[in-house]
Amino acid sequence: RLWAPGTHLDVDASLNTAVARVREALGDSAGRPSFVETVPRRGYRFTAEVTSPTDASRRSGPVSGRRWWAAAMVALGLPILIWVALRGGVPTGAGGSGRSAGEGNGDGASVSATRPAAAAREQLLIARHHADRRSREGLEKSIAAFQSAIALDGSSAEAYSGLAVSYSLLGIYDYWRPREAFGPAETMARRALELDPEAAEAHLAMGLVAAVAHWDWSAAEGHLDRALALDPDSAVVLHLRGQLLSALGRHAEALAAVRRALEIEPTSPVISTSLAWLFFYAVRGEEATTQAHRAIELFPEYYDAWDNLKWIQLTLGNEAEAVEAWIRSDEIDSGDGEGVRRGYAAGGLERLHRESIEAGLARWESGRYQSPYDLAIEYAALGEVDDAMVWLERSFAERETDLVDLAVDPRLDVLRTEPRFAELRERLGFPAS
């Protein structure tokens, strides 16, 4: 009843993840639960004593009632928000009078209308700030702030669009399983477009969902073209459109779009790093290297810039430079760049790729999400075609966003004569090369 037809969602994984977040918010333990008990083969049971607010206010415990409620709402906010979206939003009026914020008498009407609007705008700014960090914590905080904005103004297409993008990014960056992230992303994007069909950000959100959730290249391009027509100087739209055109092999158009985006937002680490990566996909290695170094000069602690430089240098055959970038990226990511140095000294690049594979397999087998595409890339780097194809198929089953770049990613060149690779490329609907 909640999800629209065609939404792809792993219900079991989503439920398990939601309960894990509830437990985290409550400080609960799956092994020794105080609140949420697992009932094998049945589901979950809430086990704590339930009291009235009056009784609860006289009790003390490890989590205050108000903080518990706030934390639980962050964990459970998605189902509530979907209900709000399907019901058409919430009233912005105060109290239980049933009036909208703009109703009232005399000057009080304008005051009551202004306060929710200002508060909603503040929550939108907070949400954008957190989303720009692109970390899991930042994106999840942005979702909470966008939800707060919607509670204040249920007709905000901007807030619904922002939610769609934040959910999408949680899947794109592998913080959540893609199938968990893209269901709510699509619901929010569609709601944004219903609220304001002429909002550039709503078309941006729909274009992103069409590309990463459905691999519907025509629909994605149509929405992004419309977003650009509505907001020609949007760096975000230009950047995303450039990434889409690159994936479709239209490299000159892609580079022009992302260069324009960087002119508009010259201090964006995401766009600066992305430009280097699109040079890489266009097989323009020297320009990719130069742009990667420019991004690193501006943003020396940005993980993606170093990780991209690592792969650019590996593909170009610049082993020493690649290893130094690998060490630096691991220092930023885990604080253990010396592990890379030791591995390389012990067994060269092959040892480093093997260690990456072992770590990824351990994550996968433990139940934590591991990008199958990343494992396929590591196997491809070792020339192990069969294993690479196994993990690309798993990437397809997960509906992983990295597959958007399958047709142009130079790291997969060793697979391109493989019939199974050609068949996967066809299933993804890429235009003939």
Side-chain angles (χ1 to χ4, degrees):
R1 292 173 66 92
L2 289 174
W3 299 112
T7 299
H8 300 279
L9 190 68
D10 185 333
V11 174
D12 289 337
S14 299
L15 178 61
N16 295 341
T17 300
V19 171
R21 293 194 183 113
V22 170
R23 283 176 169 149
E24 181 181 3
L26 298 176
D28 205 8
S29 164
R32 301 180 63 183
S34 300
F35 295 101
V36 182
E37 175 189 12
T38 301
V39 182
R41 296 182 297 278
R42 292 291 300 279
Y44 300 95
R45 176 188 292 126
F46 186 78
T47 61
E49 179 186 357
V50 178
T51 63
S52 72
T54 301
D55 292 339
S57 67
R58 293 196 291 265
R59 300 177 57 181
S60 61
V63 183
S64 73
R66 182 166 297 187
R67 283 173 46 229
W68 177 89
W69 179 249
M73 283 305 95
V74 172
L76 296 171
L78 173 59
I80 294 168
L81 181 59
I82 293 168
W83 181 84
V84 170
L86 294 173
R87 297 278 297 189
V90 297
T92 57
S97 67
R99 293 182 181 180
S100 69
E103 292 176 339
N105 296 313
D107 293 339
S110 61
V111 172
S112 62
T114 301
R115 285 173 181 168
R121 174 55 51 186
E122 180 181 359
Q123 289 301 312
L124 286 173
L125 293 173
I126 290 170
R128 299 290 184 198
H129 166 74
H130 287 307
D132 285 346
R133 293 166 56 194
R134 298 295 178 99
S135 65
R136 176 172 183 159
E137 179 186 17
L139 290 169
E140 289 178 345
K141 284 183 176 179
S142 79
I143 286 171
F146 280 127
Q147 289 172 344
S148 295
I150 288 170
L152 292 160
D153 179 5
S155 64
S156 173
E158 184 179 355
Y160 280 106
S161 300
L163 271 173
V165 172
S166 288
Y167 278 120
S168 295
L169 290 173
L170 284 167
I172 289 169
Y173 281 99
D174 300 325
Y175 298 134
W176 291 12
R177 290 175 65 128
R179 289 179 296 171
E180 287 181 16
F182 297 152
E186 181 165 7
T187 299
M188 299 304 132
R190 290 190 182 281
R191 180 60 178 151
L193 204 60
E194 288 171 4
L195 287 167
D196 188 353
E198 296 303 305
E201 61 267 21
H203 285 282
L204 167 71
M206 282 301 301
L208 180 60
V209 167
V212 300
H214 298 295
W215 304 314
D216 187 338
W217 315 122
S218 176
E221 186 173 1
H223 280 294
L224 293 178
D225 285 349
R226 181 62 182 146
L228 194 62
L230 291 165
D231 189 357
D233 292 324
S234 169
V236 176
V237 175
L238 285 161
H239 176 220
L240 184 56
R241 187 172 181 274
Q243 290 181 304
L244 174 65
L245 295 174
S246 171
L248 298 176
R250 292 157 59 183
H251 297 297
E253 294 175 78
L255 289 167
V258 177
R259 279 172 165 151
R260 174 66 183 134
L262 194 57
E263 289 175 2
I264 296 168
E265 294 285 351
T267 61
S268 167
V270 174
I271 299 174
S272 185
T273 301
S274 180
L275 180 58
W277 204 234
L278 296 198
F279 276 125
F280 177 58
Y281 282 168
V283 197
R284 294 166 62 169
E286 289 187 9
E287 290 163 288
T289 302
T290 299
Q291 180 58 35
H293 281 296
R294 284 179 184 155
I296 287 167
E297 286 173 10
L298 287 170
F299 317 104
E301 300 301 314
Y302 188 49
Y303 168 81
D304 282 356
W306 286 102
D307 188 60
N308 287 2
L309 179 61
K310 173 190 81 176
W311 284 109
I312 292 167
Q313 299 289 33
L314 282 172
T315 304
L316 293 174
N318 300 329
E319 187 168 320
E321 293 88 340
V323 172
E324 287 304 311
W326 201 326
I327 291 169
R328 187 71 187 101
S329 65
D330 268 34
E331 285 175 347
I332 295 169
D333 186 42
S334 66
D336 186 24
E338 287 305 309
V340 176
R341 199 183 301 278
R342 289 192 298 271
Y344 181 68
L349 287 176
E350 181 176 354
R351 174 68 173 269
L352 293 181
H353 289 302
R354 295 283 177 208
E355 289 178 350
S356 294
I357 289 170
E358 289 169 7
L361 291 175
R363 280 192 295 273
W364 182 270
E365 290 165 3
S366 73
R368 291 177 291 164
Y369 186 71
Q370 161 64 44
S371 163
Y373 191 92
D374 285 353
L375 282 169
I377 291 296
E378 298 290 351
Y379 279 118
L382 295 170
E384 297 178 4
V385 172
D386 286 341
D387 285 322
M389 288 305 310
V390 165
W391 285 97
L392 282 181
E393 285 293 343
R394 287 177 179 168
S395 181
F396 183 87
E398 291 287 341
R399 304 195 71 81
E400 198 175 8
T401 57
D402 289 315
L403 287 174
V404 169
D405 298 322
L406 182 95
V408 296
D409 192 338
R411 297 173 295 176
L412 298 175
D413 284 352
V414 69
L415 308 177
R416 296 198 185 277
T417 58
E418 168 63 42
R420 290 172 292 174
F421 185 88
E423 192 270 336
L424 178 59
R425 190 181 188 281
E426 184 176 347
R427 269 187 281 156
L428 288 163
F430 286 110
S433 56

